[in-house]
């Protein structure tokens, strides 16, 4: 499954982590026992992506305890995963009003705003989250949002910070794309920097299909169509391998189900 992780820009990296970040401060403070059970049920459903069940469970908890911040922030994540972004924003906003889980709530609300195309509010929320807790994931998301907004210099500053503190394939890939965009706009000296960063991203993660796609663009800018074609072929190989693995896993799962049913 590793190739699949890098085929598309990971939109949900941060949100997947958030489900396990929230400690049960509300339970410690003596929330109603039945409300706590509903939150536990909702959390289990959220982890297994049973989103309608999770939303119902968190809603029941909130009906019992209207100031149950953990229920709001987790229901917000369930709404976000369901692409109900306005509802997610409302729950994250309520969490912030309760002055709980602020770093996570701001970051999560930023994700929802970004999904709605409101890049400015997303950036403001990512920045608010970073004031409360430094997070490489949030810096990565803010850098991506700056880039989408067209503010390449601020995106570059965030990627520089990431690479200085914690160099990752995603950070090099992001900065490489910024340099590529600057090169396309006329800054030819940035093209070599783009190539160096994308080379580094691929060195760190050889199955990073998106990095090969961007590097192929760089080679085309240099006029080297042979290397561009080589990278394009590598992307095709990674896609085929990923699809084959998915099919094998699906077949294995079905065979196990058939075996169990035959018992």
């Amino acid at each position: 499954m590793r190739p699949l992780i890098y085929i598309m820009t990971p939109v949900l990296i941060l949100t997947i982590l958030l489900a396990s970040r929230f400690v049960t401060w509300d339970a410690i403070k003596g929330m109603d026992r039945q409300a706590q059970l509903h939150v536990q049920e909702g959390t289990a459903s959220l982890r297994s992506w049973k989103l309608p069940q999770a939303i119902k469970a968190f809603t029941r908890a909130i009906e019992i305890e209207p100031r149950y911040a953990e229920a709001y922030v987790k229901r917000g994540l369930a709404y976000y995963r369901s692409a109900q972004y306005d509802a997610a924003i409302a729950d994250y906003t309520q969490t912030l009003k309760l002055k709980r889980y602020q770093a996570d709530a701001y970051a999560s609300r930023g994700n929802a705003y970004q999904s709605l195309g409101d890049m400015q509010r997303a950036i403001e929320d990512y920045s608010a989250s970073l004031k409360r807790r430094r997070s490489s994931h949030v810096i990565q998301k803010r850098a991506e949002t700056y880039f989408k907004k067209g503010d390449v210099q601020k995106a570059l500053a965030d990627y520089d910070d990431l690479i200085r503190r914690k160099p990752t394939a995603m950070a090099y890939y992001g900065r490489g794309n910024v340099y590529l965009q600057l090169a396309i706009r006329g800054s030819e000296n940035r093209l070599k920097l783009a190539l160096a960063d994308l080379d580094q991203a691929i060195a760190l993660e050889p199955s990073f299909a998106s990095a090969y796609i961007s590097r192929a663009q760089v080679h085309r800018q240099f006029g080297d169509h042979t290397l561009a074609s080589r990278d394009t072929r590598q992307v095709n190989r990674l896609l085929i391998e990923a699809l084959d693995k998915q099919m094998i896993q699906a077949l294995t799962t079905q065979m196990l189900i058939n075996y169990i049913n035959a018992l």
Side-chain angles (χ1 to χ4, degrees), residues 16-148:
I16 291 170
L17 292 174
L18 290 177
S20 60
R21 288 189 67 93
F22 307 126
V23 294
T24 55
W25 293 110
D26 302 289
I28 294 171
K29 281 187 167 292
M31 287 292 176
D32 181 273
R33 178 59 181 161
Q34 190 59 44
Q36 292 178 38
L37 291 174
H38 285 313
V39 166
Q40 291 172 14
E41 176 191 347
T43 301
S45 295
L46 185 60
R47 285 173 179 163
S48 58
W49 287 77
K50 297 176 181 177
L51 303 178
Q53 296 93 318
I55 290 168
K56 287 178 182 178
F58 294 134
T59 299
R60 286 193 290 268
I62 290 167
E63 288 170 350
I64 297 170
E65 288 281 4
R67 295 183 60 79
Y68 204 157
E70 185 181 352
Y72 282 109
V73 76
K74 288 185 173 180
R75 190 176 68 174
L77 181 54
Y79 278 135
Y80 177 81
R81 290 182 177 179
S82 303
Q84 299 180 60
Y85 302 123
D86 288 325
I89 288 168
D91 274 356
Y92 292 136
T93 301
Q94 183 61 33
T95 306
L96 292 168
K97 287 179 180 178
L98 293 170
K99 301 187 184 301
R100 308 295 290 282
Y101 312 111
Q102 292 194 328
D104 292 319
Y106 273 119
S108 298
R109 196 173 69 175
N111 291 337
Y113 278 131
Q114 192 197 88
S115 297
L116 288 173
D118 192 337
M119 301 304 169
Q120 185 56 45
R121 284 187 177 178
I123 289 167
E124 289 171 1
D125 274 356
Y126 291 141
S127 298
S129 175
L130 289 167
K131 286 180 180 178
R132 287 156 178 81
R133 183 182 65 228
R134 188 188 184 283
S135 164
S136 296
H137 294 294
V138 179
I139 295 173
Q140 178 82 35
K141 293 294 293 183
R142 189 175 68 177
E144 291 170 5
T145 309
Y146 276 134
F147 186 59
K148 290 177 182 177

